[in-house]
Amino acid sequence: MTVTALSPLPDLLVRPIVDLALAEDLGRAGDITGQACVDPDARLSVSFVSRQDGRVSGLSCARLALAAMDPTATFEVVIPDGADTAPGAMLARAEGNARAVLIAERTGLNLLGRMSGIATLTRAYVRLVEGTGATIVDTRKTTPGLRALEKYAVRCGGGVNHRFGLDDAILIKDNHVAACGGVGEAVRRARAHAGHLVKVEVEVDGLDQLEEALKHGPDVVMLDNFSLADLRAAVALAKGRAVLEASGGVNLTTVRAIAETGVDVISVGALTHSAPVLDIGLDAA
């Protein structure tokens, strides 16, 4: 069983997201189906079971959803976050008040399936570039309110996080360049503004812009929608003076060839905006 080494998300970060999802589902009157059909003192044992091959991520969401409805419930992880799973494999088992388990079921599965789907797609990209030296990273194309969870899922899949938000790195995009009159001027201003711990990245759309940007010492240059030939030329031109990030036109068919050009990083928005949900079910024991 492959397990990706990572630090777990703190409950303090996950719990408000889970609570909001539960409140959305409970609505004005709570679970009227459970109230109508299930004895208030009934207990239920369940298993979280994968229906597909994939990479696990988000078990804490399922655990916290159940704990919010029944603090006395038990939750045992069988296959942890960052590990591979197979059809029919049990990811976790739980036991608690039956009404609470049934209320928590959909919130837990929605977040667990979403995050495991991101981890699984990331795993596919990471495997395709093995041996090239290129790193697969995500973007800020995340679901509003779920960024921390989705970027954690990328890490579970073996990928690396790009910046989390606007405040942790300078990333000069094409519209910034247009607003301040050129790539070189934009990088110069960024360098003058940035503190010593802040990285400066600039997006370029051609080799001429790359050459201009390199004169001003960016830490990272994003090569936007470059052809394979231009990516190879960019690697030769930069000669290690900056980290080179390929972006645009990246999919499971193209990523290997992009990695083989010698770029350092490949950013893939699809990891978080287009990952299919991994099919995970909740089965009563």
Side-chain angles (χ1 to χ4, degrees), residues 192-214:
H193 178 84
H196 68 289
L197 295 180
V198 177
K199 296 281 189 178
V200 175
E201 178 172 8
V202 61
E203 177 187 82
V204 301
D205 58 17
L207 293 170
D208 54 339
Q209 282 195 332
L210 171 61
E211 195 163 10
E212 182 183 356
L214 288 171

Side-chain angles (χ1 to χ4, degrees), residues 36-97:
C37 302
V38 180
D39 187 275
D41 298 320
R43 308 291 292 181
L44 186 63
S45 296
V46 294
S47 300
F48 291 83
V49 178
S50 177
R51 314 291 194 216
Q52 295 175 282
D53 170 81
R55 177 65 63 86
V56 182
S57 180
L59 286 167
S60 65
C61 298
R63 172 176 56 81
L64 289 170
L66 179 55
M69 304 314 304
D70 178 6
T72 69
T74 62
F75 189 97
E76 179 188 357
V77 172
V78 179
I79 299 178
D81 284 0
D84 292 328
T85 186
M90 182 192 299
L91 308 183
R93 58 174 66 92
E95 190 274 339
N97 176 272

Side-chain angles (χ1 to χ4, degrees), residues 167-235:
D167 63 339
D168 62 352
I170 292 176
L171 175 46
I172 304 163
K173 301 282 283 183
D174 54 350
N175 287 333
H176 296 101
V177 170
C180 67
V183 166
E185 177 62 11
V187 177
R188 186 194 66 77
R189 293 185 188 183
R191 273 286 172 223
H193 178 84
H196 68 289
L197 295 180
V198 177
K199 296 281 189 178
V200 175
E201 178 172 8
V202 61
E203 177 187 82
V204 301
D205 58 17
L207 293 170
D208 54 339
Q209 282 195 332
L210 171 61
E211 195 163 10
E212 182 183 356
L214 288 171
K215 296 175 184 176
H216 298 272
D219 298 294
V220 187
V221 180
M222 180 186 294
L223 310 171
D224 184 45
N225 284 296
F226 274 43
S227 67
L228 293 177
D230 281 351
L231 287 173
R232 286 188 288 268
V235 171

Side-chain angles (χ1 to χ4, degrees), residues 61 105 120:
C61 298
E105 174 181 0
T120 300

